Amino acid sequence: MGVFDIVGPVMIGPSSSHTAGAVRLGKMARTILGEAPVAVTINLYGSFARTYKGHGTDKALVAGLLGFSAEDTRIKDAINLAAQANLHVTFRIVEGGDFHPNTAQMQLKGISGKSVKVTGASIGGGRIVITQIDGYDVEITGDYYTLITLHQDKPGIIAMITQILAQQNVNIAFMKVSRKQKGVQALMVLETDHPIPEEVLAAISPVPAIESALLVKPL
Amino acid sequence: MMSFTSIAELVALAEEMGQPIADVVWQWETERSASQPEAIWREMASRLAVMQQAAAQGLIQREKSFSGLVGGDAYRLATTNSFIGPVVMRAAANAIAVSEVNANMGKIVACPTAGSCGIVPGAILAIAEHLQCGDDKLVRALFTAAGIGEVIAANATVSGAVGGCQAECGAAAAMAAAAVVEMLGGTPRQSSHALALALKNLLGLVCDPVAGLVEVPCVKRNGFAAVHALTAAQMALAGVESIIPADEVIDAMNRIGAELPCSLKETSEGGLAKTATGIEITERLSKPN
């Protein structure tokens, strides 16, 4: 830890886990959707469900969905700003569920009609982890440059992707592959030490076995 | 490369180099992050500016938080006749001001956490006003505070969920006490006594927030802890010493934190959160609109 982890972070109160972390969860969901959302249904679990109002967790999630950062002073007015931006958000309080205490599940619909379901938890100190995308188990922290691919589950695809990263001199820090069924479709998350150049996306995206690929910068 | 893993080592480094703790920590961070010293200074100065803005806003803001539980107390304190002296009064008012801004979704600097964000600025801004000094002294004070927090975080914890409130407000008071000593011209050794005294007297403090919110008792506790830090600094500057050395106090805090039941570590399942009023507030706030 450095001095700015002790005297810091600069954030919008009141809680690093329930406010700052929630902003980052919303922002990550928007990034994963890849475009401006127009309608979002948010299920709140655990402590998020019980204390969201007092902590402004609802406002924080919406602020993140609007693309705000955790130190944006507009977070407090995010609900009104969402209405102005034609973003329709519905909250649902869910009892139970085998989740981390600070979990939000967000079903997003984007401006082009695209949709995605993102589940994530705020794990303390403003840090987050995205645990599911469209039913695939993932582990995305937003601390690293991240490449997410949805591809056909067959030999050689992962090797091809990592080869392209190697050519660009990008070192992989963490990776996780997940699938719902053998041989159909897989979702891979690669977190790297170095920025991932757009060329990587340009090289991967046209490959027929790749259904979609997305670059995520650190939050 | 320069390094320290304990308060004793940090004090020894400062004594060897003939510099205040602030400068040792500044240099350490510069080396650690492979940055330019000026860039590190500017970053700390920008955090000071956020603290100053939060305190200024909190002293005039009378708005209640969303729960309605806190808001307006810093203003009340800052505008009343003081019998405890202007510096003490100001420290309490500043600290409550910053914490009220935090509770009201304003911009603050976690120091070391959001729940304890008022204590360090509360104390050091009051001293700066008393000394009529410029911002450089305050930036240095933040480096000193950061160095102390660094050691506490590395050897114990600054998380209420792990160690109770002693880890958050206790650590913040220790950080503030050491920083105030240095602002007033005390030695690194006096800083270490001040932080030991401050932390020692908040040992065992539990984290039992009503309805899980960073409001009751957190906001007013920030005011108390800022004053507590001043008292510790005043004692150390007068030559009062902690019999138990700072590092051993930090270790005791860590062990006490581990022994505290979970109900008293930020779960809102014990203490004030489970009083009749605490339960009533929790039920009221958990009802859908």
Side-chain angles (χ1 to χ4, degrees):
Chain A
M1 271 214 273
V3 300
F4 300 118
D5 297 311
I6 299 292
V7 180
V10 174
M11 56 171 272
I12 300 298
S15 158
S16 53
S17 54
H18 288 66
T19 318
V23 176
R24 300 180 86 217
L25 282 175
K27 196 172 178 189
M28 189 54 105
R30 180 191 173 107
T31 308
I32 291 167
L33 178 68
E35 62 185 34
V38 292
V40 184
T41 304
I42 305 178
N43 290 342
L44 297 172
Y45 295 88
S47 169
F48 267 11
R50 290 194 305 273
T51 69
Y52 77 97
K53 259 189 289 177
H55 281 127
T57 307
D58 50 346
K59 299 177 177 72
L61 286 165
V62 171
L65 290 166
L66 287 168
F68 297 177
S69 75
E71 41 179 294
D72 196 313
T73 50
R74 295 173 298 174
I75 292 170
K76 201 175 163 179
D77 304 317
I79 304 285
N80 290 331
L81 293 170
Q84 284 169 28
N86 290 317
L87 166 60
H88 185 74
V89 186
T90 315
F91 284 94
R92 288 201 303 223
I93 306 305
V94 185
E95 291 298 331
D98 184 19
F99 291 115
H100 180 281
N102 296 330
T103 294
Q105 191 171 61
M106 297 166 273
Q107 175 73 54
L108 288 78
K109 197 174 135 214
I111 198 156
S112 75
K114 204 166 138 183
S115 75
V116 69
K117 188 171 177 181
V118 179
T119 306
S122 175
I123 55 173
R127 290 180 311 127
I128 61 159
V129 60
I130 300 294
T131 53
Q132 262 197 354
I133 300 176
D134 282 337
Y136 289 99
D137 291 330
V138 296
E139 215 179 302
I140 305 170
T141 59
D143 294 335
Y144 294 88
Y145 292 89
T146 306
L147 173 67
I148 305 171
T149 60
L150 186 62
H151 55 258
Q152 287 170 23
D153 184 26
K154 61 181 193 184
I157 307 299
I158 295 170
M160 184 266 299
I161 295 169
T162 55
Q163 181 65 32
I164 290 169
L165 285 168
Q167 279 160 6
Q168 296 285 339
N169 214 17
V170 176
N171 189 47
I172 297 167
F174 304 99
M175 72 184 278
K176 188 177 169 97
V177 187
S178 157
R179 61 188 182 184
K180 294 178 198 166
Q181 198 187 330
K182 197 153 93 178
V184 183
Q185 212 180 33
L187 190 134
M188 177 164 70
V189 176
L190 283 166
E191 295 182 308
T192 68
D193 292 327
H194 310 107
I196 304 171
E198 289 290 333
E199 285 83 356
V200 170
L201 211 52
I204 293 172
S205 299
V207 176
I210 305 283
E211 287 165 36
S212 66
L214 174 75
L215 286 184
V216 181
K217 286 185 191 147
L219 283 175
Chain B
M1 198 178 122
M2 177 197 281
S3 79
F4 54 89
T5 58
S6 64
I7 299 295
E9 282 178 23
L10 181 57
V11 169
L13 264 179
E15 285 175 347
E16 265 166 47
M17 294 163 67
Q19 286 178 349
I21 292 173
D23 291 70
V24 175
V25 175
W26 177 19
Q27 200 178 319
W28 172 77
E29 177 65 21
T30 303
E31 283 182 18
R32 194 197 64 84
S33 62
S35 313
Q36 294 301 313
E38 299 77 22
I40 299 295
W41 182 274
R42 275 197 305 275
E43 179 59 37
M44 194 59 99
S46 78
R47 290 179 188 216
L48 170 66
V50 175
M51 288 177 171
Q52 287 168 320
Q53 169 61 34
Q57 187 189 331
L59 287 172
I60 53 171
Q61 163 184 301
R62 294 158 80 177
E63 205 181 328
K64 289 272 183 197
S65 64
F66 301 114
S67 69
L69 295 175
V70 299
D73 287 334
Y75 174 82
R76 238 168 242 123
L77 262 181
T79 53
T80 198
N81 281 326
S82 152
F83 71 89
I84 53 175
V87 181
V88 167
M89 178 77 154
R90 200 61 177 184
N94 285 340
I96 292 176
V98 175
S99 291
E100 284 182 340
V101 166
N102 180 58
N104 209 357
M105 296 195 88
K107 193 173 185 171
I108 54 99
V109 183
C111 190
T113 61
S116 59
C117 68
I119 297 163
V120 170
I124 67 171
L125 293 176
I127 296 299
E129 199 177 304
H130 167 69
L131 295 173
Q132 300 275 304
C133 66
D135 285 356
D136 280 7
K137 210 178 187 97
L138 283 164
V139 174
R140 279 209 154 71
L142 289 179
F143 278 112
T144 309
I148 306 309
E150 191 74 40
V151 173
I152 299 176
N155 298 334
T157 174
V158 295
S159 157
V162 178
C165 194
Q166 56 164 6
E168 293 203 24
C169 288
M175 290 159 64
V180 166
V181 164
E182 216 153 78
M183 287 181 85
L184 291 163
T187 64
R189 196 160 291 271
Q190 285 174 324
S191 277
S192 92
H193 283 297
L195 83 91
L197 291 167
L199 186 56
K200 230 164 55 171
N201 287 287
L202 291 176
L203 287 180
L205 194 63
V206 302
C207 178
D208 54 354
V210 170
L213 303 178
V214 193
E215 302 194 2
V216 179
C218 323
V219 169
K220 291 170 198 109
R221 179 168 296 164
N222 270 257
F224 281 107
V227 174
H228 182 76
L230 295 189
T231 310
Q234 182 77 82
M235 286 189 189
L237 285 165
V240 176
E241 298 193 336
S242 172
I243 300 296
I244 310 294
D247 291 307
E248 294 180 32
V249 177
I250 293 169
D251 177 54
M253 187 270 271
N254 198 33
R255 285 183 287 108
I256 292 167
E259 286 170 18
L260 281 177
C262 278
S263 60
L264 300 174
K265 289 191 279 197
E266 216 180 303
T267 54
S268 299
E269 283 167 3
L272 294 171
K274 286 296 178 201
T275 55
T277 302
I279 291 168
E280 184 267 312
I281 291 169
T282 307
E283 282 169 0
R284 174 161 57 80
L285 292 175
S286 65
K287 278 188 199 127
N289 299 312

